[in-house]
Amino acid sequence: MNEKEIRSLAKNGLYQGKALEGELEETHISWIILTEIHAFKLKKPVKLSFLNFSTLKLRKTYCEKELMLNSRFTDVYEAVVPVYHNGGLWSLGEGQGEVIDYAVQMKRMSTASRMDKMLRHNKVGVDNIKALAIEVAGFHKNADKVCQPFKLSTAMTLFNDIKNCKDLVKTKVGVSYAETIEGAIKWSDAFLKQHAERFQQRIDQGMLRDVHGDLHSGNVFLYKKPVVFDCIEFNDKYRQIDVLYEVAFMCMDLEAFQHQELAEEFLNTYSDSFPCFQVVEDQAIFNYFKCLRANVRAKVHALSIEQSHEDKEVQGHIVEVKKYVNLMKVYMAY
């Protein structure tokens, strides 16, 4: 589906014979239609360096995988439903005509309870963070261990993928930010070579597990029992990671919101439940992981600059790129 079609589905489409009248939200790889009771997530027909949603068959496959993987965390995910188009009429779940796409059907959660929105309004407290850390640690303890060797070239490629955005950053964001990215790539290559043995030791010790892969505040609802959702389904290597890398994302995110104290609380509470620092060198690896997570967020917003059509959205993504590149600079200086 394209943007015009998804807007028509959200505004005029049907679900179980009734008008959707949905509110549309968008990420760089998905559209989400929010109704009073449900949320329907559709994958954009894109092919990027790290994912491929370019065909209907692939989008169906990844919708089914998303449902299966996220059911490990929550009962929010309900089904994968087809999108029909017939004579100008759009419908979800049931209908006639051609199946144009597929959507992941979820229970509608309270937008006001999403952690990133609560952080923006300074409504996240220590108790929220402790509950989330305990929830994540509990899942990590029982997550499947992954036994595969540390590959230096793969680790380098993961960090260095941001190089594909360097020219865009130079043009749209600023020369100094592109220079920081270039410097970060050199720093990362040197760090990975220096600590390659310890990365492998952590794998041998069972710290590489099939976890969430995208654990940031936008993927958490802070109810009395935190709800973690939207894990990575499109690329197994992004989800089968060192648990310390997962923890680093949440801590980096909290620091990006300028809540260092909450980042420390999350890390301390998690570590009390599931110790993830075993030798002094792990502190440096944790810092590297935070830099890598800031790298990924900078890349996501850089890609979104090209996909945005309104100047306000473009400027918003530019601000975010600057923020995360600056964070990379801070972590490299540790």
Side-chain angles (χ1 to χ4, degrees):
M1 296 182 73
N2 58 38
E3 187 169 353
K4 182 179 179 181
E5 291 170 336
I6 197 72
R7 291 188 181 281
S8 179
L9 170 63
K11 184 178 180 181
N12 304 311
L14 301 176
Y15 172 69
Q16 295 183 342
K18 297 180 180 179
L20 267 177
E21 296 179 347
E23 173 187 342
L24 187 64
E25 292 189 354
E26 182 176 1
T27 72
H28 67 296
I29 59 172
S30 302
W31 291 293
I32 302 97
I33 299 173
L34 300 174
T35 70
E36 186 176 346
I37 299 174
H38 294 105
F40 298 95
K41 180 181 175 185
L42 293 93
K43 302 183 186 305
K44 291 182 177 178
V46 294
K47 184 177 182 180
L48 303 172
S49 61
F50 53 92
L51 64 80
N52 187 358
F53 296 157
S54 60
T55 69
L56 179 64
K57 182 178 179 180
L58 283 168
R59 292 195 295 280
K60 181 184 181 184
T61 296
Y62 284 116
C63 281
E64 292 169 344
K65 192 170 183 179
E66 180 174 355
L67 175 69
M68 181 269 293
L69 288 170
N70 280 284
S71 296
R72 300 176 301 165
F73 304 100
T74 176
D75 62 359
V76 166
Y77 288 75
E78 297 180 323
V80 173
V81 296
V83 180
Y84 293 94
H85 187 241
N86 184 35
L89 180 66
W90 294 96
S91 58
L92 265 170
E94 56 186 32
Q96 297 180 337
E98 183 181 2
V99 174
I100 299 296
D101 227 313
Y102 291 88
V104 178
Q105 178 182 311
M106 298 170 274
K107 297 174 185 175
R108 173 71 188 269
M109 309 297 282
S110 169
T111 303
S113 296
R114 208 173 74 189
M115 185 176 173
D116 58 334
K117 294 186 179 296
M118 292 179 67
L119 282 166
R120 290 188 182 95
H121 294 93
N122 292 314
K123 291 184 176 181
V124 178
V126 171
D127 289 345
N128 297 126
I129 292 298
K130 285 183 175 180
L132 177 61
I134 291 169
E135 185 79 14
V136 172
F139 175 76
H140 283 183
K141 285 178 186 178
N142 297 310
D144 291 340
K145 295 178 182 179
V146 179
C147 297
Q148 58 186 34
F150 174 75
K151 294 183 179 178
L152 180 62
S153 60
T154 300
M156 286 181 172
T157 299
L158 176 61
F159 192 101
N160 297 352
D161 190 62
I162 196 173
K163 190 173 184 178
N164 294 322
C165 301
K166 193 181 72 170
D167 290 342
L168 174 66
V169 170
K170 183 178 181 179
T171 303
K172 299 290 187 179
V173 183
V175 173
S176 64
Y177 295 94
E179 290 174 346
T180 297
I181 289 171
E182 187 64 40
I185 290 171
K186 294 177 182 177
W187 171 83
S188 171
D189 287 348
F191 184 94
L192 290 169
K193 289 175 184 177
Q194 181 182 353
H195 297 279
E197 184 178 352
R198 180 57 192 155
F199 281 107
Q200 182 61 55
Q201 288 172 353
R202 288 186 60 83
I203 295 171
D204 296 339
Q205 292 164 356
M207 291 298 166
L208 190 73
R209 303 196 177 197
D210 194 325
V211 289
H212 185 280
D214 199 25
L215 187 66
H216 60 84
S217 59
N219 288 339
V220 177
F221 288 102
L222 290 178
Y223 292 92
K224 185 174 182 180
K225 184 180 186 298
V227 175
V228 177
F229 70 105
D230 203 20
C231 79
I232 287 181
E233 85 292 347
F234 53 79
N235 192 321
D236 289 348
K237 70 179 181 181
Y238 289 177
R239 192 185 66 255
Q240 296 173 352
I241 56 176
D242 192 313
V243 294
L244 199 56
Y245 185 30
E246 179 121 295
V247 172
F249 199 176
M250 181 56 68
C251 290
M252 183 282 295
D253 194 29
L254 288 166
E255 289 170 359
F257 277 103
Q258 299 184 333
H259 282 293
Q260 178 72 35
E261 78 289 355
L262 295 181
E264 292 175 0
E265 188 65 56
F266 181 87
L267 182 60
N268 291 337
T269 303
Y270 175 94
S271 296
D272 287 343
S273 294
F274 184 30
C276 54
F277 293 91
Q278 299 175 328
V279 298
V280 173
E281 190 176 354
D282 290 347
Q283 293 285 346
I285 288 175
F286 176 64
N287 182 67
Y288 175 82
F289 281 149
K290 287 198 291 184
C291 189
L292 175 54
R293 286 301 191 177
N295 167 317
V296 173
R297 296 308 285 171
K299 179 176 68 178
V300 166
H301 284 287
L303 291 170
S304 296
I305 291 172
E306 288 191 312
Q307 293 183 357
S308 299
H309 305 294
E310 298 181 7
D311 186 62
K312 184 178 179 180
E313 290 181 0
V314 170
Q315 292 305 314
H317 290 303
I318 288 173
V319 168
E320 294 298 297
V321 171
K322 289 180 177 179
K323 177 175 72 177
Y324 288 112
V325 172
N326 284 334
L327 264 180
M328 290 171 63
K329 203 172 190 179
V330 169
Y331 296 138
M332 285 189 290
Y334 279 5

